[in-house]
Amino acid sequence: MKQYVEVTEAAAYHVKQMMVHNEEEGSFLRVAVNGGGCSGLTYGLGFEQEQTEDDFLLEQHGIQIVVSKEDAAILDGTKVDYKESLMGGGFTIENPNAIASCGCGTSFRTATAKGTPKNC
Protein backbone atom coordinates (compact mmCIF):
# COMPACT_ATOMS: atom_id res chain seq x y z
CA MET A 1 0.00 0.00 0.00
CA LYS A 2 1.33 3.40 -0.96
CA GLN A 3 2.01 5.71 1.98
CA TYR A 4 0.44 8.99 0.82
CA VAL A 5 1.24 10.69 4.12
CA GLU A 6 4.24 10.19 6.39
CA VAL A 7 3.62 10.68 10.11
CA THR A 8 6.91 10.97 11.95
CA GLU A 9 7.62 9.08 15.15
CA ALA A 10 7.44 12.35 17.13
CA ALA A 11 4.02 13.19 15.66
CA ALA A 12 2.74 9.65 16.28
CA TYR A 13 3.85 9.87 19.93
CA HIS A 14 1.81 13.07 20.42
CA VAL A 15 -1.18 11.66 18.53
CA LYS A 16 -1.17 8.64 20.87
CA GLN A 17 -1.02 10.95 23.90
CA MET A 18 -3.97 12.95 22.54
CA MET A 19 -5.93 9.75 21.90
CA VAL A 20 -5.52 8.74 25.55
CA HIS A 21 -6.30 12.24 26.85
CA ASN A 22 -9.45 12.50 24.68
CA GLU A 23 -10.50 8.87 25.23
CA GLU A 24 -10.05 8.12 21.52
CA GLU A 25 -7.93 4.97 21.82
CA GLY A 26 -8.55 2.73 18.84
CA SER A 27 -9.60 5.65 16.63
CA PHE A 28 -8.11 6.47 13.27
CA LEU A 29 -6.15 9.66 12.63
CA ARG A 30 -7.72 11.39 9.64
CA VAL A 31 -5.42 13.58 7.55
CA ALA A 32 -7.62 15.67 5.28
CA VAL A 33 -7.85 18.63 2.92
CA ASN A 34 -10.65 21.14 3.42
CA GLY A 35 -11.69 24.19 1.41
CA GLY A 36 -10.99 27.68 2.74
CA GLY A 37 -8.11 29.67 4.14
CA CYS A 38 -6.28 32.50 2.42
CA SER A 39 -4.84 30.24 -0.28
CA GLY A 40 -7.94 28.12 -0.92
CA LEU A 41 -7.26 24.85 0.94
CA THR A 42 -6.52 23.95 4.56
CA TYR A 43 -5.26 20.84 6.31
CA GLY A 44 -7.36 18.90 8.75
CA LEU A 45 -6.22 16.49 11.46
CA GLY A 46 -8.76 14.70 13.60
CA PHE A 47 -9.96 11.42 15.03
CA GLU A 48 -12.45 9.12 13.28
CA GLN A 49 -14.19 6.09 14.70
CA GLU A 50 -14.61 4.31 11.35
CA GLN A 51 -12.88 3.95 8.02
CA THR A 52 -15.06 4.41 4.93
CA GLU A 53 -14.83 2.62 1.59
CA ASP A 54 -13.53 5.90 0.14
CA ASP A 55 -10.46 5.89 2.42
CA PHE A 56 -6.96 4.56 2.12
CA LEU A 57 -5.74 3.00 5.37
CA LEU A 58 -2.13 3.54 6.40
CA GLU A 59 -0.36 2.36 9.54
CA GLN A 60 2.73 4.07 10.91
CA HIS A 61 4.39 3.98 14.33
CA GLY A 62 1.45 2.16 15.89
CA ILE A 63 -1.33 4.47 14.69
CA GLN A 64 -3.85 3.88 11.93
CA ILE A 65 -4.24 6.77 9.51
CA VAL A 66 -7.05 7.33 7.02
CA VAL A 67 -6.82 9.54 3.94
CA SER A 68 -9.74 9.90 1.56
CA LYS A 69 -9.11 8.80 -2.01
CA GLU A 70 -10.11 12.32 -3.09
CA ASP A 71 -7.44 13.94 -0.87
CA ALA A 72 -4.70 11.38 -1.57
CA ALA A 73 -3.34 13.05 -4.73
CA ILE A 74 -3.19 16.45 -3.02
CA LEU A 75 -1.47 14.99 0.06
CA ASP A 76 0.87 12.58 -1.75
CA GLY A 77 4.31 12.93 -0.14
CA THR A 78 3.09 15.08 2.76
CA LYS A 79 4.98 14.82 6.05
CA VAL A 80 3.24 15.40 9.40
CA ASP A 81 5.73 16.13 12.18
CA TYR A 82 5.69 17.48 15.73
CA LYS A 83 8.28 20.09 16.62
CA GLU A 84 9.21 21.69 19.93
CA SER A 85 10.55 25.23 20.21
CA LEU A 86 11.04 27.80 22.95
CA MET A 87 7.52 29.02 22.20
CA GLY A 88 6.00 25.56 22.69
CA GLY A 89 5.27 22.64 20.43
CA GLY A 90 2.90 21.77 17.65
CA PHE A 91 2.21 19.76 14.54
CA THR A 92 3.78 20.85 11.26
CA ILE A 93 2.74 19.78 7.78
CA GLU A 94 5.07 19.82 4.79
CA ASN A 95 3.40 19.17 1.45
CA PRO A 96 5.66 18.96 -1.62
CA ASN A 97 2.63 19.56 -3.85
CA ALA A 98 1.86 23.00 -2.38
CA ILE A 99 2.82 25.76 -4.78
CA ALA A 100 1.55 28.60 -2.56
CA SER A 101 0.77 29.03 1.10
CA CYS A 102 -0.05 31.90 3.41
CA GLY A 103 1.56 33.15 6.57
CA CYS A 104 -0.78 31.22 8.88
CA GLY A 105 0.93 27.99 7.77
CA THR A 106 -2.26 25.97 7.35
CA SER A 107 -3.60 27.35 4.07
CA PHE A 108 -2.20 26.27 0.70
CA ARG A 109 -2.97 25.43 -2.91
CA THR A 110 -1.50 23.05 -5.44
CA ALA A 111 -1.14 23.30 -9.22
CA THR A 112 -4.24 21.12 -9.67
CA ALA A 113 -6.31 22.01 -6.58
CA LYS A 114 -6.95 25.66 -5.81
CA GLY A 115 -9.99 25.44 -3.52
CA THR A 116 -11.99 28.51 -2.56
CA PRO A 117 -9.95 31.18 -0.75
CA LYS A 118 -11.51 32.85 2.30
CA ASN A 119 -10.17 35.43 4.71
CA CYS A 120 -7.97 33.99 7.47
Side-chain angles (χ1 to χ4, degrees):
M1 166 69 41
K2 181 173 174 134
Q3 299 292 310
Y4 292 95
V5 173
E6 174 193 352
V7 175
T8 67
E9 192 170 350
Y13 172 80
H14 287 280
V15 167
K16 289 177 192 175
Q17 283 189 319
M18 292 174 71
M19 284 179 167
V20 170
H21 184 266
N22 295 314
E23 298 180 359
E24 292 280 357
E25 295 99 324
S27 293
F28 299 95
L29 172 66
R30 175 162 305 276
V31 182
V33 175
N34 303 309
C38 311
S39 298
L41 300 170
T42 60
Y43 298 106
L45 296 174
F47 298 125
E48 294 274 336
Q49 296 296 316
E50 297 179 13
Q51 173 189 5
T52 71
E53 63 184 37
D54 293 326
D55 290 332
F56 290 116
L57 176 64
L58 318 171
E59 188 166 343
Q60 299 171 10
H61 305 291
I63 60 171
Q64 292 188 314
I65 305 152
V66 288
V67 175
S68 77
K69 292 176 182 174
E70 183 179 339
D71 293 345
I74 297 169
L75 293 170
D76 191 17
T78 295
K79 180 178 181 181
V80 179
D81 197 3
Y82 188 92
K83 297 190 179 175
E84 296 278 351
S85 72
L86 293 175
M87 299 295 290
F91 290 97
T92 62
I93 300 175
E94 296 174 24
N95 184 342
N97 303 305
I99 61 167
S101 61
C102 74
C104 66
T106 60
S107 182
F108 71 102
R109 68 182 153 103
T110 68
T112 59
K114 298 184 184 357
T116 305
K118 296 179 183 173
N119 292 334
C120 286

